Amino acid sequence: MLRWVRQQLGFDPPHQSDTRTIYIANRFPQHGHYVPQKFADNRIISSKYTVWNFVPKNLFEQFRRVANFYFLIIFLVQLMIDTPTSPITSGLPLFFVITVTAIKQGYEDWLRHKADNEVNGAPVYVVRSGGLVKTRSKNIRVGDIVRVAKDETFPVDLVLLSSDRVDGSCHVTTASLDGETNLKTHVAVPETAVLQSVANLDKLVAVIECQQPEADLYRFVGRITVSQQAEEIVRPLGPESLLLRGARLKNTKEIFGVAVYTGMETKMALNYKSKSQKRSAVEKSMNSFLIIYLIILLFEAILSTILKYAWQAEEKWDEPWYNEKTEHERNSSKILRFISDFLAFLVLYNFIIPISLYVTVEMQKFLGSFFIGWDLDLYHEETNQRAQVNTSDLNEELGQVEYVFTDKTGTLTENEMQFRECSINGIKYQEVNGKLTPEGFSEDSPDGNRHGLVKEEELFLKAVCLCHTVQINADQTDGADGPWHANGITSPLEYYASSPDEKALVEAASRVGVVFTGISGDSMEVKSLGKPERYKLLHVLEFDPNRRRMSVIVESPSGEKLLFTKGAESSILPRSKSGEIDKTRIHVDEFALKGLRTLCVAYRRFTPEEYQEIGKRLHEARTALQQREEKLADVFNFIERDLELLGATGVEDKLQEKVQETIEALRLAGIKVWVLTGDKHETAVSVSLSCGHFHRTMNILELVQHKSDSTCAEQLRQLAKRIKEDHVIQHGLVVDGTSLSLALREHEKLFMEVCKNCSAVLCCRMAPLQKAKVVRLLKTSPEKPITLAIGDGANDVSMIQEAHVGIGIMGKEGRQAVRNSDYAIARFKFLSKLLFVHGHFYYIRIATLVQYFFYKNVCFITPQFLYQFFCLFSQQTLYDSVYLTLYNICFTSLPVLIYSLFEQHVHPHVLQSKPVLYRDISKNAHLGFKPFLYWTILGFFHAFVFFYGSYLLMGEDTSLLGNGQMFGNWTFGTLVFTVMVITVTMKMALETHFWTWINHFVTWGSIVFYFIFSLFYGGIIWPFLHTQDMYFVFVQLLSSGSAWFAIILIVVACLFIDVVKKVLYRHLQPTSTEKAQLTEAGSGINCLDSMCCFSDGETACTSVRRMLERLMGRCSPTRVNRCGISLNSLCCRRFSYKLEPDEPAAIDV
């Protein structure tokens, strides 16, 4: 119990040792010196709160916000000293904001608790006391032997002990962890693989030593020591032995494994750790505005306090006959009185800080994010994938992007590989009708119609068929002996691979005669022209990004030990000592110029002595617990040398649809596009040209293949000089990974200067961390531009997390990019709508929302400040305390919220077809100092008009009632408040371009609600109120014709100036957006809907019902398709134009 409490409070110390020792089936040593290690239990906790800590923890988090903490202080001040307003005026809005946020966060956490309980309570089977025991998942302990059946998920991280197969192998899919749907093979060590029954496993005496838990899904270092007949056998354990929690068992009846990591120490749980919080530029501006308004508040409070004491310097005002001081007041300290008065004024003016701004912005972001998921233009029908929002905090940031960093493979391209060409022994080949044909030959030529394969070709294809991680669908392996053709064999097998390149190469080899037919035990089976051959798989040297190659060591049917290697030409060619190296290098460059992805293939023969030495070194490195990766890298480098080059392959990756148009649109919008790829220089340049990233007319500069700082710096200076000399021409820059490292080490400023003067930048041969470094370099530059990174693979995650906005492509390289992104889309082409339409709308909406909130609070509090000049700074309030409380909560909150959800100042089609409009909102144009100053000055101007307009029209000695009775101060304050509510609501109406029935309802409804509430509030004597100041005040006010005249006149006077300003600016200095609005109005477009316009004849209720159905999940594109309704019929944008005599009535886009 104590340990659980310490875990909850976060006081549990970290693991003391670098490794953990696990006794299988918890058979601990019997000697007295052994102290058992403490491990976490198997409960998964993804929730943030518990029943006990919810209130304190949630309140602590909420009061970390400046505005909330400020209002708490004000509320406490009102409780402690005599202030002009009731504590309710601050307490109720604060309570409302805190409660709404707490309910939202509490509900989200309750859902997490519910999901956790389902997972932790799932039934599992554990081997205990010689039999299988059914228990709950949360009860599994480290060291327990767990049984998992076919299609079940693993409840903990397990080391595989045995399976129903003789070789102890099993297949799993890790789709829920990294999105990769291919089957992965895991194997048990031979000593435990034979223990296939519960009885045998219960007798197992073994110890596992492994590293402490870490988040890396693909890294595991350990060893198992099995005691057999007084002998201890040590075997290495790696990632191939570890079955991860969350993965699913496939094509295997059952497996037994020992739990090594449990609960929050499993790799899946360690990957739950939240990403660093990204903050949008709007949020930063909002905080700056809050500070400015806090300064204004302090200034007003100090000024009022000073002026109060200036008035009281005269004796007649210090203690008038109607307000004599008490003895205590006369003897109190002047300093304390000054502080008390200052705090009282602070309370009086505190509503200039808009407390409800935070909760409104949160609601706007949360509700607004649904529109991205609902947008059928962002829905990909082929894959049944819709856009996904992982965080709603950055919606408006989509409208501020200045740099886009994109991956190439799978992002700009389809990641669907097709074999095109290869080079074997210095001769180029192409696949023609299932035959490998040398370049320049055809089937009609004398040498083109040949049978069989020459020795070099067959060896090359066997290398391709043996050196890979491809799997075969288990249901189809029995069909491998079907009908075979003498040549040009068509394989009935279905291949699965984590790498599309490998799959394309194995499929191409099978078409031309060498077929990989599967793995049986420790043997790889190949059919060469119909003749089966069995190669014993001895070792696999796994691929890693540093080596950029993978290898297998096999024993041929003749008993010869062979190493087959494939990888990037930069890692294979320097290690080759024989073969047609120069010719192959030329062919690789030719393939790359065509935009093909290239790999080189080589092999090596081992003598028995060499193989024995290699086996010994590999065993030592693989069983090492410390620095295993470094030792393995050294051994791999020792093995993969003195290679004989066989040839190279060229695989094509098709461009995605509309990539060129999207990149061109981004360029027109003023966004610079950088392509960051791991491909070789020539391939990357070729693809950049084909996708429009580089233009044919563009002057392409290169910073490649530099080995020293001096040459790199000299080249950078030359490039900077060329750019200055040819400043009229557009420039593109190509830089490779090694040159980039040199440039960033000592010449960062010069490199940035060159990059910023280039229209497009291409970085090739990039490692994942280098991608993130480049993004950080731009992000932290003096201009601090907003960056967006988009990619589809695990190698793009660091870049996606580093950028201000990260977008994952739902591609074929797993879902790690999607899981770590802020937004996810199915195709690169959807980026244009996401930025130009959604980003534009979100930014305009929230920019207006933030500034309008400050404006309406200036309008609210400034008359209170002006009123003090007329009441000798006695801290008399102008408004009733109920009005003070409800102004931001009820009377003015809904119109701006609805505006921030539905506003469309330009038609979506216009925004997407004119990317240049994106420039109008770039660099935070609508939330800069000038717009902020305009809204603030406008607020002060309107406040002066409210107050002095009411004062002049209804000032002293003015009799406005039929009986000659004059209005009092509460009537005057109510008049000012009434004018203010109408004006700020009408101001929001003036800002609205897109009117729906919801806008009409909340705009006019807010004004009507204010009148009805005031009549109700002032028409009844409320017994729980200690004063009845407002009784019959509102009714009396509205009974005066002069009051109605004053209200109308003041509202018109306030808004007239604003209307004139808008008209003059639109005609004298129109922005591109305003010109587009005029064009749109002239064309007669009358159907405006952000995501989906509905057919003619549909009522407003129908569209609302459809929206609610979407919200409830009843209307999904999948269901629509099943019903036989096309997407076009469901979501057609229907534009109506003013017709010419020969034009159709409507145009469907």
PDB file of all heavy atoms in Angstrom, residues 635-656:
ATOM      1  N   VAL A 635      31.176  -5.490 -35.387  1.00  0.00           N
ATOM      2  CA  VAL A 635      31.203  -6.830 -35.994  1.00  0.00           C
ATOM      3  C   VAL A 635      30.594  -6.788 -37.388  1.00  0.00           C
ATOM      4  O   VAL A 635      31.126  -7.409 -38.327  1.00  0.00           O
ATOM      5  CB  VAL A 635      30.447  -7.841 -35.098  1.00  0.00           C
ATOM      6  CG1 VAL A 635      30.393  -9.210 -35.769  1.00  0.00           C
ATOM      7  CG2 VAL A 635      31.131  -7.963 -33.744  1.00  0.00           C
ATOM      8  N   PHE A 636      29.491  -6.071 -37.553  1.00  0.00           N
ATOM      9  CA  PHE A 636      28.855  -5.975 -38.881  1.00  0.00           C
ATOM     10  C   PHE A 636      29.817  -5.354 -39.890  1.00  0.00           C
ATOM     11  O   PHE A 636      29.910  -5.801 -41.038  1.00  0.00           O
ATOM     12  CB  PHE A 636      27.580  -5.132 -38.799  1.00  0.00           C
ATOM     13  CG  PHE A 636      26.433  -5.805 -38.086  1.00  0.00           C
ATOM     14  CD1 PHE A 636      25.264  -5.113 -37.796  1.00  0.00           C
ATOM     15  CD2 PHE A 636      26.519  -7.137 -37.700  1.00  0.00           C
ATOM     16  CE1 PHE A 636      24.204  -5.728 -37.150  1.00  0.00           C
ATOM     17  CE2 PHE A 636      25.467  -7.773 -37.047  1.00  0.00           C
ATOM     18  CZ  PHE A 636      24.311  -7.058 -36.768  1.00  0.00           C
ATOM     19  N   ASN A 637      30.545  -4.313 -39.479  1.00  0.00           N
ATOM     20  CA  ASN A 637      31.511  -3.683 -40.383  1.00  0.00           C
ATOM     21  C   ASN A 637      32.646  -4.653 -40.731  1.00  0.00           C
ATOM     22  O   ASN A 637      33.166  -4.636 -41.845  1.00  0.00           O
ATOM     23  CB  ASN A 637      32.093  -2.412 -39.744  1.00  0.00           C
ATOM     24  CG  ASN A 637      31.115  -1.270 -39.772  1.00  0.00           C
ATOM     25  OD1 ASN A 637      30.305  -1.160 -40.701  1.00  0.00           O
ATOM     26  ND2 ASN A 637      31.156  -0.409 -38.762  1.00  0.00           N
ATOM     27  N   PHE A 638      33.012  -5.483 -39.771  1.00  0.00           N
ATOM     28  CA  PHE A 638      34.053  -6.482 -40.020  1.00  0.00           C
ATOM     29  C   PHE A 638      33.573  -7.522 -41.043  1.00  0.00           C
ATOM     30  O   PHE A 638      34.344  -7.971 -41.904  1.00  0.00           O
ATOM     31  CB  PHE A 638      34.433  -7.168 -38.696  1.00  0.00           C
ATOM     32  CG  PHE A 638      35.367  -8.330 -38.847  1.00  0.00           C
ATOM     33  CD1 PHE A 638      36.716  -8.139 -39.132  1.00  0.00           C
ATOM     34  CD2 PHE A 638      34.902  -9.649 -38.726  1.00  0.00           C
ATOM     35  CE1 PHE A 638      37.573  -9.214 -39.291  1.00  0.00           C
ATOM     36  CE2 PHE A 638      35.749 -10.721 -38.882  1.00  0.00           C
ATOM     37  CZ  PHE A 638      37.088 -10.503 -39.162  1.00  0.00           C
ATOM     38  N   ILE A 639      32.301  -7.900 -40.968  1.00  0.00           N
ATOM     39  CA  ILE A 639      31.750  -8.930 -41.859  1.00  0.00           C
ATOM     40  C   ILE A 639      31.497  -8.368 -43.257  1.00  0.00           C
ATOM     41  O   ILE A 639      31.840  -9.000 -44.272  1.00  0.00           O
ATOM     42  CB  ILE A 639      30.440  -9.495 -41.268  1.00  0.00           C
ATOM     43  CG1 ILE A 639      30.714 -10.200 -39.938  1.00  0.00           C
ATOM     44  CG2 ILE A 639      29.762 -10.450 -42.242  1.00  0.00           C
ATOM     45  CD1 ILE A 639      29.459 -10.565 -39.164  1.00  0.00           C
ATOM     46  N   GLU A 640      30.912  -7.173 -43.316  1.00  0.00           N
ATOM     47  CA  GLU A 640      30.465  -6.613 -44.604  1.00  0.00           C
ATOM     48  C   GLU A 640      31.605  -5.856 -45.282  1.00  0.00           C
ATOM     49  O   GLU A 640      31.542  -4.637 -45.491  1.00  0.00           O
ATOM     50  CB  GLU A 640      29.263  -5.688 -44.370  1.00  0.00           C
ATOM     51  CG  GLU A 640      28.040  -6.437 -43.855  1.00  0.00           C
ATOM     52  CD  GLU A 640      26.972  -5.510 -43.299  1.00  0.00           C
ATOM     53  OE1 GLU A 640      27.307  -4.410 -42.800  1.00  0.00           O
ATOM     54  OE2 GLU A 640      25.792  -5.873 -43.350  1.00  0.00           O
ATOM     55  N   ARG A 641      32.634  -6.556 -45.650  1.00  0.00           N
ATOM     56  CA  ARG A 641      33.766  -5.952 -46.354  1.00  0.00           C
ATOM     57  C   ARG A 641      34.261  -6.923 -47.421  1.00  0.00           C
ATOM     58  O   ARG A 641      33.825  -8.068 -47.474  1.00  0.00           O
ATOM     59  CB  ARG A 641      34.888  -5.601 -45.373  1.00  0.00           C
ATOM     60  CG  ARG A 641      35.446  -6.804 -44.620  1.00  0.00           C
ATOM     61  CD  ARG A 641      36.367  -6.386 -43.483  1.00  0.00           C
ATOM     62  NE  ARG A 641      36.793  -7.559 -42.703  1.00  0.00           N
ATOM     63  CZ  ARG A 641      37.879  -8.277 -42.959  1.00  0.00           C
ATOM     64  NH1 ARG A 641      38.657  -7.967 -43.984  1.00  0.00           N
ATOM     65  NH2 ARG A 641      38.183  -9.311 -42.199  1.00  0.00           N
ATOM     66  N   ASP A 642      35.125  -6.436 -48.281  1.00  0.00           N
ATOM     67  CA  ASP A 642      35.678  -7.252 -49.372  1.00  0.00           C
ATOM     68  C   ASP A 642      34.547  -7.895 -50.180  1.00  0.00           C
ATOM     69  O   ASP A 642      34.566  -9.097 -50.482  1.00  0.00           O
ATOM     70  CB  ASP A 642      36.617  -8.344 -48.820  1.00  0.00           C
ATOM     71  CG  ASP A 642      37.803  -7.753 -48.083  1.00  0.00           C
ATOM     72  OD1 ASP A 642      38.167  -6.601 -48.415  1.00  0.00           O
ATOM     73  OD2 ASP A 642      38.338  -8.411 -47.178  1.00  0.00           O
ATOM     74  N   LEU A 643      33.530  -7.092 -50.511  1.00  0.00           N
ATOM     75  CA  LEU A 643      32.359  -7.613 -51.214  1.00  0.00           C
ATOM     76  C   LEU A 643      32.614  -7.717 -52.709  1.00  0.00           C
ATOM     77  O   LEU A 643      33.448  -7.009 -53.265  1.00  0.00           O
ATOM     78  CB  LEU A 643      31.155  -6.694 -50.962  1.00  0.00           C
ATOM     79  CG  LEU A 643      30.753  -6.455 -49.497  1.00  0.00           C
ATOM     80  CD1 LEU A 643      29.656  -5.409 -49.419  1.00  0.00           C
ATOM     81  CD2 LEU A 643      30.305  -7.752 -48.841  1.00  0.00           C
ATOM     82  N   GLU A 644      31.861  -8.601 -53.325  1.00  0.00           N
ATOM     83  CA  GLU A 644      31.876  -8.706 -54.793  1.00  0.00           C
ATOM     84  C   GLU A 644      30.545  -8.151 -55.288  1.00  0.00           C
ATOM     85  O   GLU A 644      29.471  -8.677 -54.959  1.00  0.00           O
ATOM     86  CB  GLU A 644      32.044 -10.163 -55.226  1.00  0.00           C
ATOM     87  CG  GLU A 644      32.245 -10.294 -56.728  1.00  0.00           C
ATOM     88  CD  GLU A 644      32.598 -11.721 -57.151  1.00  0.00           C
ATOM     89  OE1 GLU A 644      33.147 -12.479 -56.319  1.00  0.00           O
ATOM     90  OE2 GLU A 644      32.295 -12.062 -58.306  1.00  0.00           O
ATOM     91  N   LEU A 645      30.623  -7.067 -56.059  1.00  0.00           N
ATOM     92  CA  LEU A 645      29.410  -6.365 -56.495  1.00  0.00           C
ATOM     93  C   LEU A 645      28.668  -7.181 -57.549  1.00  0.00           C
ATOM     94  O   LEU A 645      29.257  -7.649 -58.525  1.00  0.00           O
ATOM     95  CB  LEU A 645      29.800  -4.992 -57.064  1.00  0.00           C
ATOM     96  CG  LEU A 645      28.648  -4.057 -57.409  1.00  0.00           C
ATOM     97  CD1 LEU A 645      27.858  -3.665 -56.165  1.00  0.00           C
ATOM     98  CD2 LEU A 645      29.185  -2.799 -58.104  1.00  0.00           C
ATOM     99  N   LEU A 646      27.348  -7.351 -57.313  1.00  0.00           N
ATOM    100  CA  LEU A 646      26.521  -8.075 -58.280  1.00  0.00           C
ATOM    101  C   LEU A 646      25.783  -7.124 -59.212  1.00  0.00           C
ATOM    102  O   LEU A 646      25.616  -7.411 -60.395  1.00  0.00           O
ATOM    103  CB  LEU A 646      25.502  -8.952 -57.541  1.00  0.00           C
ATOM    104  CG  LEU A 646      26.068 -10.163 -56.783  1.00  0.00           C
ATOM    105  CD1 LEU A 646      24.983 -10.818 -55.949  1.00  0.00           C
ATOM    106  CD2 LEU A 646      26.664 -11.167 -57.767  1.00  0.00           C
ATOM    107  N   GLY A 647      25.314  -6.001 -58.682  1.00  0.00           N
ATOM    108  CA  GLY A 647      24.579  -5.069 -59.534  1.00  0.00           C
ATOM    109  C   GLY A 647      23.791  -4.072 -58.706  1.00  0.00           C
ATOM    110  O   GLY A 647      24.076  -3.845 -57.528  1.00  0.00           O
ATOM    111  N   ALA A 648      22.766  -3.493 -59.342  1.00  0.00           N
ATOM    112  CA  ALA A 648      21.940  -2.472 -58.683  1.00  0.00           C
ATOM    113  C   ALA A 648      20.522  -2.568 -59.215  1.00  0.00           C
ATOM    114  O   ALA A 648      20.277  -3.095 -60.306  1.00  0.00           O
ATOM    115  CB  ALA A 648      22.513  -1.081 -58.935  1.00  0.00           C
ATOM    116  N   THR A 649      19.586  -2.052 -58.434  1.00  0.00           N
ATOM    117  CA  THR A 649      18.176  -2.064 -58.851  1.00  0.00           C
ATOM    118  C   THR A 649      17.646  -0.639 -58.929  1.00  0.00           C
ATOM    119  O   THR A 649      18.132   0.261 -58.233  1.00  0.00           O
ATOM    120  CB  THR A 649      17.317  -2.841 -57.829  1.00  0.00           C
ATOM    121  OG1 THR A 649      17.412  -2.206 -56.550  1.00  0.00           O
ATOM    122  CG2 THR A 649      17.779  -4.280 -57.708  1.00  0.00           C
ATOM    123  N   GLY A 650      16.638  -0.442 -59.771  1.00  0.00           N
ATOM    124  CA  GLY A 650      15.961   0.851 -59.890  1.00  0.00           C
ATOM    125  C   GLY A 650      14.459   0.646 -59.767  1.00  0.00           C
ATOM    126  O   GLY A 650      13.857  -0.049 -60.585  1.00  0.00           O
ATOM    127  N   VAL A 651      13.886   1.218 -58.721  1.00  0.00           N
ATOM    128  CA  VAL A 651      12.459   1.046 -58.448  1.00  0.00           C
ATOM    129  C   VAL A 651      11.791   2.416 -58.520  1.00  0.00           C
ATOM    130  O   VAL A 651      12.312   3.399 -57.995  1.00  0.00           O
ATOM    131  CB  VAL A 651      12.248   0.424 -57.042  1.00  0.00           C
ATOM    132  CG1 VAL A 651      10.779   0.326 -56.710  1.00  0.00           C
ATOM    133  CG2 VAL A 651      12.893  -0.951 -56.984  1.00  0.00           C
ATOM    134  N   GLU A 652      10.622   2.473 -59.166  1.00  0.00           N
ATOM    135  CA  GLU A 652       9.916   3.748 -59.333  1.00  0.00           C
ATOM    136  C   GLU A 652       8.856   3.913 -58.249  1.00  0.00           C
ATOM    137  O   GLU A 652       8.136   2.977 -57.917  1.00  0.00           O
ATOM    138  CB  GLU A 652       9.241   3.814 -60.706  1.00  0.00           C
ATOM    139  CG  GLU A 652       8.555   5.154 -60.951  1.00  0.00           C
ATOM    140  CD  GLU A 652       7.772   5.185 -62.266  1.00  0.00           C
ATOM    141  OE1 GLU A 652       7.152   4.160 -62.605  1.00  0.00           O
ATOM    142  OE2 GLU A 652       7.789   6.213 -62.925  1.00  0.00           O
ATOM    143  N   ASP A 653       8.780   5.131 -57.717  1.00  0.00           N
ATOM    144  CA  ASP A 653       7.748   5.489 -56.754  1.00  0.00           C
ATOM    145  C   ASP A 653       6.902   6.593 -57.389  1.00  0.00           C
ATOM    146  O   ASP A 653       7.383   7.704 -57.588  1.00  0.00           O
ATOM    147  CB  ASP A 653       8.396   5.978 -55.450  1.00  0.00           C
ATOM    148  CG  ASP A 653       7.386   6.107 -54.328  1.00  0.00           C
ATOM    149  OD1 ASP A 653       6.211   5.781 -54.555  1.00  0.00           O
ATOM    150  OD2 ASP A 653       7.774   6.543 -53.235  1.00  0.00           O
ATOM    151  N   LYS A 654       5.650   6.300 -57.716  1.00  0.00           N
ATOM    152  CA  LYS A 654       4.799   7.254 -58.434  1.00  0.00           C
ATOM    153  C   LYS A 654       4.495   8.482 -57.586  1.00  0.00           C
ATOM    154  O   LYS A 654       4.320   8.387 -56.379  1.00  0.00           O
ATOM    155  CB  LYS A 654       3.467   6.598 -58.808  1.00  0.00           C
ATOM    156  CG  LYS A 654       3.495   5.742 -60.041  1.00  0.00           C
ATOM    157  CD  LYS A 654       2.093   5.430 -60.529  1.00  0.00           C
ATOM    158  CE  LYS A 654       1.210   4.910 -59.425  1.00  0.00           C
ATOM    159  NZ  LYS A 654      -0.142   4.572 -59.899  1.00  0.00           N
ATOM    160  N   LEU A 655       4.400   9.637 -58.272  1.00  0.00           N
ATOM    161  CA  LEU A 655       3.970  10.855 -57.583  1.00  0.00           C
ATOM    162  C   LEU A 655       2.500  10.742 -57.210  1.00  0.00           C
ATOM    163  O   LEU A 655       1.702  10.162 -57.942  1.00  0.00           O
ATOM    164  CB  LEU A 655       4.140  12.074 -58.493  1.00  0.00           C
ATOM    165  CG  LEU A 655       5.512  12.739 -58.566  1.00  0.00           C
ATOM    166  CD1 LEU A 655       5.444  13.895 -59.543  1.00  0.00           C
ATOM    167  CD2 LEU A 655       5.966  13.224 -57.208  1.00  0.00           C
ATOM    168  N   GLN A 656       2.136  11.320 -56.068  1.00  0.00           N
ATOM    169  CA  GLN A 656       0.728  11.370 -55.696  1.00  0.00           C
ATOM    170  C   GLN A 656      -0.018  12.332 -56.619  1.00  0.00           C
ATOM    171  O   GLN A 656       0.568  13.206 -57.264  1.00  0.00           O
ATOM    172  CB  GLN A 656       0.570  11.846 -54.244  1.00  0.00           C
ATOM    173  CG  GLN A 656       0.909  10.807 -53.213  1.00  0.00           C
ATOM    174  CD  GLN A 656       0.558  11.273 -51.807  1.00  0.00           C
ATOM    175  OE1 GLN A 656      -0.250  12.178 -51.629  1.00  0.00           O
ATOM    176  NE2 GLN A 656       1.172  10.656 -50.818  1.00  0.00           N
TER     177      GLN A 656
END
